[in-house]
Amino acid sequence: MTDLQYHYNGVSTYTKVKGVNSLILAHQTEIETINNIPCFFWGSLTDPYITAKCWSTIAKVVRSSFGPIPPSLRDPIVSAGTERIRFEGFSSCNGVYVRLDMKPESIDGEFIANGTTNVDFNDPMLNALNSIQKNEKVTLAVGHRELQVITSKTTVKEKKVTLPMRWIKGLTSVQLYLADMNLRFELNKVQTIQLFQTLPKGNVKSDFFITKRTGKFMFSTLPTADGVRIGGIHRLRLLEGILPIVDKIHVYVSLDQESCAIVCEFGKMQLLMAFSPDAYRGFSGEGKALEHMTDNLPLEWVYGLNSLLKANETFDPTLLSIENDIDFGTMGQLTSSLSSIGLLGYDLSAGNHFYRQLPFKTDRILSLNPRLKNAKKLVDNADVLILKKEENYIEANVRGTGVQHKVVIHNEDHRCTCDWFTAYQGKRGICKHILAVKMLT
């Protein structure tokens, strides 16, 4: 599988003229209609100091790695529209997801267009951001305000950034994990600082839990009924740069108690950081999006939503069902399908989806998962034999290499006799045999 390589026609710049700092973010996307937009937003930051600290944290995440994948240069993506700007990205190992949600009150300017694109986070720009003080003025441009004319006498420095397929896969699947999380703890500023004072040193391999004892939060190796498991707890050090300025944090945990997320509140903006179950496991390999990719989403629906919705607009399935005369059950499947191909994000604090299109072609996203391709091959080769099919129960045999695998689907419970299911018990998504049966039925 070939990784995606971006070619920036320019680089992001940070300049200071007459006491006003100007940040221009160069952008690049795989989608031509968006790539041709010279500028998405131009205006000023109402709280540049906190914004700069959050951007530095995002840069720290996208340049880090906690697994066998070496850290390398990765640029975040930005969604601009509906009076909001969102920055999001992944660590190189795909185990940490970060997103900065800039609310309308954090920016003062003009949204010239809406869309999602990759932006250049280079070293000189980040070094300059670290020097921003609380009383400084900063203007922000996502793209160039004016279309630049490049002549034979003009030289433009081109920057190349490689985005591996696992990075793109992670962006499509993490939204499904976030939508599966519930709020467990809320900590104020003092409680947050006290909690992180108990953060163990070094790379700890054992599991830790955020627990509350006698009104005090702490990290502990002992699981409790309401504790939140943190796999690879050393990854939490990515948050240390913003702890002194945070107002409060919210701790979320998934229904299976495997993954978790921390939302840091700053008043005008919030920074979310989600963690995969363990440091060696990335969101891209979990396979949670597979079930929703079995439904063939008509392309006309995708195009229709592109014309109906703007970037960062709240996705209200009930309202869309009523306005467009779509059955509620169909809309539920549509929501899951759209989320699995990156057209929806999930806001933990608001508890709803928002619209955003990833800066990658839809067919690229659909072709990323080998389990999906192998399941389609099983169906095409007639290797699936349905033995029993009732309203809430399916039983089938699926041909393997020299063996027949037994698949049983009862309501939401899936079981298979293959080695993959035996090893992971559904914790890393369904196997290709279950997927093939679901596709066929």
Side-chain angles (χ1 to χ4, degrees):
M1 203 171 346
T2 305
D3 291 340
L4 174 64
Q5 191 172 71
Y6 274 145
H7 302 266
Y8 289 100
N9 291 326
V11 294
S12 294
T13 58
Y14 188 85
T15 58
K16 187 170 185 178
V17 179
K18 296 181 180 180
V20 178
N21 301 276
S22 296
L23 171 61
I24 300 177
L25 295 177
H27 76 92
Q28 176 69 32
T29 172
E30 197 178 21
I31 303 172
E32 285 302 318
T33 55
I34 298 178
N35 198 37
N36 291 332
I37 297 173
C39 187
F40 291 88
F41 171 84
W42 185 90
S44 59
L45 304 176
T46 61
D47 203 334
Y49 178 75
I50 292 180
T51 306
K53 291 295 183 184
C54 290
W55 281 340
S56 297
T57 300
I58 293 173
K60 194 183 301 182
V61 172
V62 299
R63 297 177 179 212
S64 65
S65 180
F66 301 94
I69 308 298
S72 57
L73 182 61
R74 303 283 180 258
D75 286 330
I77 67 173
V78 57
S79 298
T82 321
E83 304 303 316
R84 291 175 181 267
I85 298 178
R86 284 185 166 101
F87 290 81
E88 56 186 321
F90 263 103
S91 59
S92 294
C93 61
N94 277 108
V96 182
Y97 167 75
V98 62
R99 189 178 76 226
L100 175 64
D101 295 337
M102 301 182 67
K103 302 175 184 178
E105 54 267 32
S106 67
I107 46 181
D108 181 16
E110 178 185 4
F111 284 86
I112 302 168
N114 78 90
T116 304
T117 183
N118 270 84
V119 288
D120 169 33
F121 263 35
N122 57 57
D123 288 327
M125 183 202 82
L126 293 171
N127 291 334
L129 288 176
N130 288 328
S131 65
I132 289 179
Q133 302 300 312
K134 294 182 179 180
N135 58 348
E136 291 198 61
K137 296 180 180 179
V138 177
T139 62
L140 168 68
V142 181
H144 296 277
R145 283 189 76 186
E146 298 177 357
L147 186 64
Q148 291 185 333
V149 179
I150 301 175
T151 67
S152 59
K153 297 180 180 179
T154 305
T155 58
V156 177
K157 182 178 180 182
E158 183 183 79
K159 176 187 173 185
K160 297 181 180 180
V161 174
T162 300
L163 292 181
M165 292 300 107
R166 63 179 178 276
W167 203 91
I168 302 173
K169 285 169 61 179
L171 281 170
T172 61
S173 63
V174 72
Q175 316 302 332
L176 297 167
Y177 283 86
L178 295 179
D180 194 35
M181 291 186 179
N182 293 313
L183 178 64
R184 182 60 56 87
F185 296 128
E186 179 180 329
L187 289 73
N188 61 31
K189 188 183 189 74
V190 174
Q191 290 172 324
T192 300
I193 293 174
Q194 289 176 339
L195 170 67
F196 276 81
Q197 286 175 343
T198 66
L199 188 65
K201 306 294 183 183
N203 293 346
V204 183
K205 294 184 178 180
S206 59
D207 287 345
F208 269 76
F209 300 84
I210 299 179
T211 61
K212 186 178 183 181
R213 297 178 185 171
T214 63
K216 185 177 180 180
F217 293 94
M218 63 183 68
F219 294 111
S220 172
T221 56
L222 300 176
T224 59
D226 63 345
V228 175
R229 176 183 174 274
I230 309 289
I233 194 172
H234 54 287
R235 298 182 292 178
L236 291 183
R237 294 198 190 95
L238 292 168
L239 290 165
E240 289 180 335
I242 56 176
L243 292 179
I245 57 174
V246 72
D247 292 335
K248 58 183 176 182
I249 69 170
H250 294 92
V251 181
Y252 293 81
V253 64
S254 60
L255 291 176
D256 61 5
Q257 310 293 313
E258 289 284 303
S259 54
C260 67
I262 294 178
V263 177
C264 301
E265 293 281 355
F266 303 98
K268 297 179 180 180
M269 64 196 80
Q270 59 182 207
L271 186 136
L272 176 150
M273 203 173 289
F275 302 89
S276 64
D278 293 289
Y280 60 87
R281 288 168 62 176
F283 284 105
S284 60
E286 296 302 288
K288 197 174 183 69
L290 281 171
E291 291 185 61
H292 308 297
M293 287 185 175
T294 60
D295 298 323
N296 292 321
L297 188 65
L299 284 178
E300 57 267 25
W301 288 44
V302 176
Y303 298 144
L305 282 170
N306 276 333
S307 62
L308 281 174
L309 302 173
K310 296 180 180 179
N312 295 325
E313 182 177 349
T314 299
F315 182 84
D316 188 334
T318 302
L319 185 61
L320 283 171
S321 296
I322 296 172
E323 290 181 343
N324 298 279
D325 194 25
I326 300 174
D327 178 77
F328 288 132
T330 302
M331 180 55 73
Q333 294 177 349
L334 177 63
T335 301
S336 298
S337 296
L338 292 172
S339 184
S340 68
I341 61 173
L343 286 176
L344 297 180
Y346 192 79
D347 189 324
L348 271 174
S349 299
N352 57 36
H353 289 89
F354 61 88
Y355 180 75
R356 67 96 152 86
Q357 184 177 12
L358 291 178
F360 320 116
K361 294 178 180 177
T362 303
D363 55 355
R364 180 185 294 279
I365 296 172
L366 292 173
S367 66
L368 289 179
N369 205 295
R371 264 181 279 169
L372 181 64
K373 289 187 287 188
N374 290 335
K376 288 181 177 179
K377 186 176 180 181
L378 289 171
V379 173
D380 293 341
N381 292 343
D383 290 333
V384 181
L385 176 63
I386 305 298
L387 303 176
K388 184 184 293 186
K389 187 177 185 298
E390 299 174 356
E391 183 177 357
N392 299 313
Y393 183 86
I394 298 172
E395 192 174 309
N397 282 340
V398 182
R399 185 181 301 146
T401 306
V403 66
Q404 289 280 346
H405 297 295
K406 184 71 169 289
V407 172
V408 174
I409 302 175
H410 184 212
N411 292 323
E412 298 300 318
D413 184 42
H414 317 105
R415 303 197 67 81
C416 182
T417 56
C418 71
D419 292 339
W420 173 274
F421 186 88
T422 302
Y424 299 112
Q425 296 292 311
K427 289 185 177 181
R428 305 200 71 174
I430 57 179
C431 66
K432 64 181 180 181
H433 310 105
I434 296 175
L435 189 58
V437 173
K438 288 176 70 70
M439 291 173 67
L440 190 63
T441 58

